[in-house]
Amino acid sequence: MKRSLLLLCAALLAATAPLAPAQTNDAVPVDFFYDALSPYGDWIYTPNYGYVWQPLEAQQQQGWLPYTDGSWAYTDAGWTWVSNEDFGWLTYHYGRWIRLLQGWVWVPGYEWAPAWVSWRQTQGQIGWAPLPPEAAWVPGVGFGGWTDSYYDVGPAYYNFVPIGMFASRGSLRPFILDHNRNFTYYGQSANITHTTYQPNVMNHIFVGGPDPQRIDGLGSNQVRRLTLRRDDEGFRREWLERDRRGGGPHHGGGGFSRIEQDHLVVAAPAISRAPSHALPAKVREPFHQAEADRGWRGAGDAQSLERLRQQQREEMARTRPPNLPEKNLRPATSTTPPPAFGRVLQPEERSGAGGTLRGEPRHVTEEVRPAMPLSAPTPPGIPPKKAEEPGLPHRERGAEGRQPGPRPGENQAPPAVVPPPQTSGQPQVPHGPPPGTPANRVSPHVPTPPASDMPNAPTPPRGVPGHPGHPGRGPEAVPQPPPAAPVAPPHANPAPLPPVQPQQPAPIHPLPPQGGNPPHTVPVAPQSAPPGHPHGQGKRH
């Protein structure tokens, strides 16, 4: 009886014990972003934000803005941005955006979320703005109506659309209202941001904002409702297959973000927080003065600006959490400047100053191969076009309709090589036979200059006589006379000199007739002539 009771108690304890956590895949390093985004834009070095990325569209399309070419869907994790851009599966779900004086750039971050935005709403418009890098995710705090004031999100950061168009599918870019009126809409709006921690949703981040039921009753389109489904295994398989193919840019993210019936399938790999010293394969330029434009330019007079500032302070006073989070001032990437700009770095240069953590090699699932340059026939700077997949929304490119072109500075013709002028200390080389020389023979009196004296001759390797850096041959070197014949000792009888033979002219062989064979004669080696001499080539002897 006692044994039965013991067995029963053991069974109950086993049933009520918490389940062991499922084994998770290794996190990918933060420098995974470098190779994933290089085909679609340029990496830039900044001292305060680390390495930031700028899409080609931001460089080539005036007025380009993040969170515009795509649509909103309401999922089990709240409002989720469905991007039409090939890089959107990554840049609108990780990291933050900020507008520097040089344009919009993306700053890498660790956490995945359906979107990182702040929300505002008027009687007739809905607006959203990207959160800046200082907006740190703290699960116990989240983001609320105090966000704009605390992180200094100005009116120009927002994209406002009519409520009736908010549920449009395809692309919201054609429906975004004139940004010159943003300050008016901002003054008439209220902050409705409500991003919170929820344990039962993907990555535990729920993005609240506009009421989807109210939007359904105001527009011709119904809010698209989808269920999020994570596909990290598919992400890893595709990237491992990419490595086996030898690297190269990935074609538009492939299955990293797609719609399958009522499911939004996304890749959300965990990003390692281990310190990374790796650098991008190529850094376009540095922004030493990375001054941020907080979205207040064009606010009008000082009185209007102060009125909007006061509105933000009142919103913060009403919605302020008990403990405000610390602002994020630590970049996720390395802050070491690159060894060079505008060229592809060598693997040892990309490893940075510290290499991997503790000098250990990365796990095979963490390895990300360097991005390869785009090969022909794809023009440089244009990501390869991805085939449409079943279930994907139609990708509208907006009113511009322009494809990204080459990066600034690429496809430029190399500068013409100008031969250096001859100096006064160098012998002048005649460019023709002496007067009286027959046209069909080479004059034996023309000296053959060294190769380094010819105008278009290649420069000999370093360390070889004739190279500009060789101690015996410089630009100003004067030709030295040939060494004198050795002088016999005074007690030795000098050897008799051979008699001087008269120089015989080279025999002249007649040219064979057109199409015939040359006469059966013994060929005589011609005198050497300088390369490019009119009588040094093209003659048959």
Side-chain angles (χ1 to χ4, degrees):
M1 183 67 180
K2 292 182 178 180
R3 184 178 180 182
S4 300
L5 290 175
L6 291 174
L7 292 175
L8 180 59
C9 291
L12 290 175
L13 289 175
T16 57
L19 297 176
Q23 184 177 3
T24 58
N25 294 324
D26 294 337
V28 297
V30 71
D31 46 283
F32 143 78
F33 296 131
Y34 296 153
D35 301 303
L37 295 177
S38 290
Y40 314 111
D42 296 317
W43 286 95
I44 299 164
Y45 169 74
T46 63
N48 46 349
Y49 296 109
Y51 287 91
V52 300
W53 177 80
Q54 189 174 55
L56 294 177
E57 286 83 349
Q59 307 171 38
Q60 299 167 356
Q61 297 179 12
Q62 186 178 4
W64 182 91
L65 298 166
Y67 287 101
T68 56
D69 190 5
S71 59
W72 290 102
Y74 198 76
T75 69
D76 45 341
W79 289 106
T80 305
W81 180 254
V82 183
S83 176
N84 293 336
E85 293 162 312
D86 291 328
F87 52 83
W89 69 276
L90 194 154
T91 58
Y92 299 121
H93 303 284
Y94 293 94
R96 307 289 189 271
W97 289 88
I98 189 168
R99 187 165 73 178
L100 303 178
L101 297 182
Q102 297 88 349
W104 283 98
V105 297
W106 178 78
V107 183
Y110 298 112
E111 298 93 358
W112 185 96
W116 295 108
V117 296
S118 182
W119 294 94
R120 302 194 75 89
Q121 185 169 345
T122 70
Q123 291 295 328
Q125 296 86 23
I126 295 177
W128 61 93
L131 292 175
E134 294 80 9
W137 166 250
V138 179
V141 181
F143 300 111
W146 49 272
T147 301
D148 282 0
S149 177
Y150 188 61
Y151 295 116
D152 196 13
V153 180
Y157 268 41
Y158 274 83
N159 300 310
F160 285 98
V161 297
I163 292 182
M165 299 290 104
F166 179 79
S168 300
R169 304 179 185 183
S171 178
L172 287 173
R173 181 180 290 174
F175 307 109
I176 293 177
L177 299 173
D178 185 4
H179 277 77
N180 293 327
R181 303 194 60 187
N182 270 26
F183 296 94
T184 300
Y185 301 138
Y186 194 95
Q188 299 172 353
S189 66
N191 193 300
I192 56 173
T193 305
H194 190 63
T195 302
T196 59
Y197 173 88
Q198 288 194 14
N200 58 339
V201 302
M202 180 175 168
N203 216 36
H204 313 310
I205 300 177
F206 182 88
V207 179
D211 183 0
Q213 295 182 354
R214 182 189 176 194
I215 297 174
D216 285 340
L218 294 177
S220 57
N221 296 320
Q222 299 292 312
V223 173
R224 178 184 292 180
R225 290 168 171 82
L226 302 172
T227 301
L228 280 177
R229 181 157 62 88
R230 195 167 185 163
D231 187 18
D232 289 351
E233 288 302 320
F235 158 79
R236 292 182 179 276
R237 284 194 303 270
E238 291 198 35
W239 274 91
L240 289 176
E241 177 63 26
R242 169 183 175 271
D243 287 347
R244 283 191 289 268
R245 294 195 305 264
H250 199 280
H251 291 268
F256 296 167
S257 179
R258 62 188 184 275
I259 296 177
E260 295 180 352
Q261 296 180 353
D262 294 333
H263 293 266
L264 176 59
V265 184
V266 297
I271 307 299
S272 173
R273 292 178 180 265
S276 174
H277 302 280
L279 309 180
K282 183 179 180 181
V283 183
R284 189 185 77 195
E285 63 179 313
F287 288 169
H288 293 300
Q289 301 295 331
E291 182 180 351
D293 177 3
R294 297 291 179 175
W296 294 97
R297 295 175 179 270
D301 54 21
Q303 184 177 0
S304 301
L305 179 62
E306 178 59 27
R307 183 172 61 252
L308 296 178
R309 291 282 192 182
Q310 179 62 28
Q311 178 182 345
Q312 283 191 346
R313 290 192 288 266
E314 293 174 355
E315 291 175 338
M316 184 171 180
R318 292 193 303 267
T319 60
R320 175 175 178 154
N323 298 314
L324 287 171
E326 293 185 3
K327 296 181 180 181
N328 178 34
L329 301 176
R330 179 179 299 177
T333 65
S334 171
T335 56
T336 303
F341 296 95
R343 69 167 175 86
V344 177
L345 303 181
Q346 298 298 324
E348 59 273 13
E349 295 177 313
R350 292 194 62 189
S351 62
T356 56
L357 187 64
R358 297 186 302 276
E360 300 174 359
R362 290 195 179 118
H363 193 270
V364 65
T365 58
E366 293 188 24
E367 183 180 359
V368 179
R369 299 176 65 90
M372 304 296 291
L374 295 177
S375 57
T378 306
I382 302 181
K385 185 178 181 181
K386 184 187 71 172
E388 296 289 341
E389 298 179 8
L392 279 176
H394 177 64
R395 296 183 178 245
E396 299 182 33
R397 291 300 173 186
E400 292 85 3
R402 295 191 295 269
Q403 292 294 333
R407 290 176 171 84
E410 291 188 356
N411 287 349
Q412 300 293 330
V417 179
V418 180
Q422 284 189 325
T423 60
S424 58
Q426 293 178 344
Q428 300 295 324
V429 180
H431 294 279
T437 303
N440 61 345
R441 58 175 296 182
V442 177
S443 172
H445 304 288
V446 179
T448 303
S452 58
D453 286 345
M454 297 304 297
N456 298 322
T459 303
R462 183 176 296 275
V464 178
H467 188 277
H470 192 272
R473 177 66 177 175
E476 303 298 331
V478 179
Q480 300 296 329
V487 180
H491 301 289
N493 294 326
L497 296 176
V500 179
Q501 299 293 334
Q503 188 173 6
Q504 300 295 329
I508 302 175
H509 301 288
L511 294 176
Q514 186 69 24
N517 296 322
H520 183 70
T521 58
V522 178
V524 178
Q527 297 290 335
S528 59
H533 194 279
H535 302 288
Q537 59 183 356
K539 297 293 183 179
R540 302 178 62 181
H541 298 278

